[in-house]
């Protein structure tokens, strides 16, 4: 046996050890001098408090306008500030509602990215809900449901609770959505399930329920009266409350010790 044959395994072991050492040193240098990890920590309580304060402000501003116009005309406040009106498109309340819906859509997308590691079917509800809230945000901004109502109203008779005819397809969509998402809803327990169910009930009570009642009033007395205006304010208040409850539910799914941490590589 030659000396080269005897020392060949030793040389191979030495080369492997040197390669491992080089690789470890490269990893150490990359960790030390590479792109640092940045973390943004958002206090969930403070975020929800800020949004609640903003919602309360826009509701009160619109309500005070209505009360002054209809109950105190002698005060001389007869011209409504439409940018502050809850029942007007392209207004501050509409933009706030659309923004909260967009926040919900992005949060749902983050939950989808987190859940897809556990499988496609596990993550699918989050993705579908994200798309739904993205559509709702768009609808709130450009009033797609009003266009639908005008198109349907020209083809079918409307009246009573269905004076705003768009509520009919909305009701059908809600029933189908509840049937599809029932297993997803029941997968949660305790306060999370209560928040999820409660947010849906409160939001739909405003968006569809109060809209139907308001439509029956509008058919008889029009929309330029205090009764309709108070119904409209109640509708928008319930919608905002439902959105905030749902956002709280979403943040609970992401939070850690009451704080939401987002990390960027």
């Amino acid at each position: 046996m030659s000396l080269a044959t005897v020392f060949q395994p030793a040389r191979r072991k030495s080369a492997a050890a040197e390669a491992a050492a080089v690789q470890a040193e490269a990893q150490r240098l990359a960790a030390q001098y590479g792109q640092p990890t940045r973390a943004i920590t958002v206090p969930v309580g403070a975020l929800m408090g800020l949004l609640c304060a903003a919602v309360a402000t826009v509701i009160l501003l619109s309500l005070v306008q209505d009360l002054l116009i209809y109950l105190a005309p002698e005060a001389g406040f007869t011209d409504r500030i439409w940018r502050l009106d809850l029942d007007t498109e392209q207004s501050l309340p509409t933009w706030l509602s659309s923004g909260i819906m967009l926040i919900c859509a992005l949060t749902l997308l983050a939950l989808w990215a987190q859940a897809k590691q556990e499988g496609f079917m596990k993550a699918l509800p989050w993705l579908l809900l994200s798309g739904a809230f993205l559509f709702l945000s768009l609808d709130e901004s450009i009033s797609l449901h009003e266009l639908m109502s005008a198109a349907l109203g020209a083809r079918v008779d409307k009246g009573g609770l269905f004076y705003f005819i768009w509520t009919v397809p909305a009701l059908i969509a809600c029933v189908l959505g509840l049937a599809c998402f029932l297993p997803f809803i029941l997968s949660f327990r305790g306060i999370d399930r209560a928040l999820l169910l409660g947010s849906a009930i409160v939001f739909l009570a405003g968006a569809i329920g109060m809209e139907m009642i308001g439509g029956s009033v509008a058919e008889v007395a029009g929309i330029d009266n205090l009764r309709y205006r108070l119904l409209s304010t109640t509708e928008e208040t319930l919608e905002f409350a439902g959105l905030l409850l749902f956002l709280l539910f979403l943040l609970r799914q992401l939070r850690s010790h009451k704080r939401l941490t987002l990390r960027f590589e």
Side-chain angles (χ1 to χ4, degrees):
M1 181 181 296
S2 65
L3 291 177
T5 304
V6 172
F7 289 106
Q8 187 174 6
R11 289 176 180 174
R12 289 178 179 174
K13 291 181 181 179
S14 178
E18 289 178 2
V22 170
Q23 184 177 3
E25 181 66 14
Q27 292 176 348
R28 186 187 70 80
L29 292 174
Q32 182 176 356
Y33 299 106
Q35 183 70 21
T37 299
R38 295 172 292 170
I40 300 176
T41 303
V42 181
V44 173
L47 175 62
M48 293 304 301
L50 179 63
L51 290 175
C52 287
V55 166
T57 299
V58 297
I59 290 173
L60 285 175
L61 287 173
S62 181
L63 179 60
V64 167
Q65 281 196 116
D66 289 334
L67 294 178
L68 286 174
I69 289 172
Y70 293 106
L71 298 182
E74 66 276 4
F77 192 85
T78 57
D79 294 330
R80 181 176 280 109
I81 303 174
W82 295 106
R83 293 295 188 188
L84 301 179
D85 185 53
L86 280 171
D87 198 38
T88 300
E89 309 301 334
Q90 301 301 317
S91 65
L92 183 61
T94 299
W95 296 330
L96 178 60
S97 177
S98 179
I100 295 176
M101 289 175 179
L102 183 59
I103 292 173
C104 288
L106 294 176
T107 307
L108 284 161
L109 196 61
L111 287 166
W112 166 75
Q114 176 179 293
K116 71 178 182 179
Q117 300 175 2
E118 303 175 25
F120 175 77
M121 295 306 297
K122 182 81 171 178
L124 183 59
W126 299 111
L127 184 61
L128 293 176
L129 284 172
S130 178
F133 270 84
L134 186 61
F135 172 80
L136 287 175
S137 177
L138 181 63
D139 173 58
E140 192 73 8
S141 298
I142 63 177
S143 303
L144 292 175
H145 65 279
E146 298 290 348
L147 299 175
M148 180 190 300
S149 189
L152 289 175
R155 291 172 172 80
V156 299
D157 293 331
K158 58 181 183 178
L161 292 176
F162 298 109
Y163 180 72
F164 296 135
I165 195 64
W166 71 267
T167 55
V168 175
L171 275 174
I172 296 172
C174 288
V175 172
L176 293 176
L178 178 61
C180 292
F181 280 91
L182 188 58
F184 175 74
I185 295 172
L186 295 179
S187 68
F188 296 96
R189 296 288 183 271
I191 190 171
D192 288 330
R193 183 189 290 183
L195 282 172
L196 183 54
L197 280 173
S199 65
I201 292 171
V202 171
F203 180 82
L204 294 176
I208 298 180
M210 294 306 300
E211 182 84 352
M212 293 169 66
I213 296 173
S216 65
V217 172
E219 182 183 20
V220 175
I223 63 174
D224 193 11
N225 57 80
L226 183 58
R227 184 184 178 190
Y228 175 82
R229 298 293 305 179
L230 291 178
L231 287 171
S232 178
T233 299
T234 304
E235 171 193 337
E236 298 297 333
T237 301
L238 289 173
E239 287 186 24
F240 273 121
L243 285 174
L244 291 175
L245 286 174
F246 185 64
L247 180 58
L248 179 59
F249 160 77
L250 295 179
L251 294 179
R252 281 178 59 86
Q253 307 312 303
L254 289 176
R255 75 174 188 171
S256 174
H257 304 294
K258 297 184 180 179
R259 284 178 171 267
L260 171 63
T261 301
L262 305 176
R263 295 189 179 276
F264 301 90
E265 296 291 344

